Amino acid sequence: GKFDTFPAHNFIDVAKGDGEDYVKLAFYGDRLLAFKQRTLQILNISSPSASGWFLEKTVPYAGTLYPYSVCDTEYGVIWSNKNGAYLFDGSNVTNITEGKIADDGSTSYSSSNWSSFSTINKIVVGYLPELKQAIFINSSSDATNAFYYDFRYKSWYYGKNAAPNKDNDGITNGSS
């Protein structure tokens, strides 16, 4: 009855003592995604027996700091960190910002710059199923800037004042 936990009697051999904690668990198809702060571990859980599950891939620099930076979609699992936005489609992890949104390392904010957008690294990720779009809001407490990703066209656009409830109760799946 607890979310995002492994029962004590089940175990999978993964690296211990790497200095990272598990932040979020997500799944898509027959893969379990175990997010750490800097690393993503993809576990193959296709076997009906837990003893047949195994660590399939470790993806460095694809982790996330907050559970609200991960979201399920009909296209797979999406998430973000300071390095970009990612999609796991059931077989591949793709940095969907690469080549689409500049990452010039500038500290001044620009609507075309992921580095400055993700400076505080508290990006809230959501999915708009009726529009087939993901929304990446720069901060759960500020919520003024957002990037939108359209799954149909594989394109990005920028929006200001994306969260109309920011002055009231904040974002419901975020934490300031």
Side-chain angles (χ1 to χ4, degrees):
K2 294 181 182 178
F3 294 103
D4 294 348
T5 59
F6 288 111
H9 61 278
N10 289 346
F11 69 93
I12 298 174
D13 287 330
V14 292
K16 288 176 61 177
D18 61 3
E20 292 183 79
D21 295 323
Y22 287 100
V23 175
K24 172 86 173 161
L25 296 176
F27 70 92
Y28 188 73
D30 58 2
R31 300 299 189 269
L32 178 67
L33 286 74
F35 292 92
K36 294 182 170 191
Q37 288 97 348
R38 294 177 302 278
T39 308
L40 168 66
Q41 294 176 328
I42 301 174
L43 296 99
N44 185 317
I45 58 171
S46 61
S47 173
S49 169
S51 62
W53 298 357
F54 61 94
L55 178 62
E56 185 173 88
K57 181 188 267 187
T58 299
V59 185
Y61 312 109
T64 192
L65 294 176
Y66 301 100
Y68 53 79
S69 296
V70 179
C71 187
D72 297 324
T73 76
E74 62 194 85
Y75 299 96
V77 177
I78 56 171
W79 70 96
S80 69
N81 63 28
K82 66 180 181 175
N83 302 317
Y86 299 86
L87 169 68
F88 176 74
D89 63 6
S91 57
N92 297 308
V93 173
T94 305
N95 182 334
I96 57 177
T97 54
E98 192 169 326
K100 303 281 186 175
I101 298 176
D103 188 16
D104 62 8
S106 171
T107 55
S108 61
Y109 183 74
S110 163
S111 63
S112 62
N113 181 323
W114 189 264
S115 292
S116 59
F117 177 79
S118 64
T119 299
I120 51 180
N121 207 14
K122 286 188 164 187
I123 299 172
V124 179
V125 180
Y127 180 60
L128 309 167
E130 64 281 357
L131 299 174
K132 310 285 191 226
Q133 294 179 349
I135 181 172
F136 298 81
I137 299 173
N138 67 326
S139 167
S140 60
S141 58
D142 184 355
T144 55
N145 302 308
F147 276 109
Y148 295 83
Y149 178 74
D150 191 303
F151 285 95
R152 295 168 296 181
Y153 304 109
K154 296 180 177 36
S155 62
W156 288 91
Y157 68 93
Y158 170 76
K160 284 192 91 48
N161 299 318
N165 67 345
K166 75 173 185 79
D167 293 326
N168 299 324
D169 298 325
I171 297 173
T172 57
N173 69 334
S175 173
S176 36

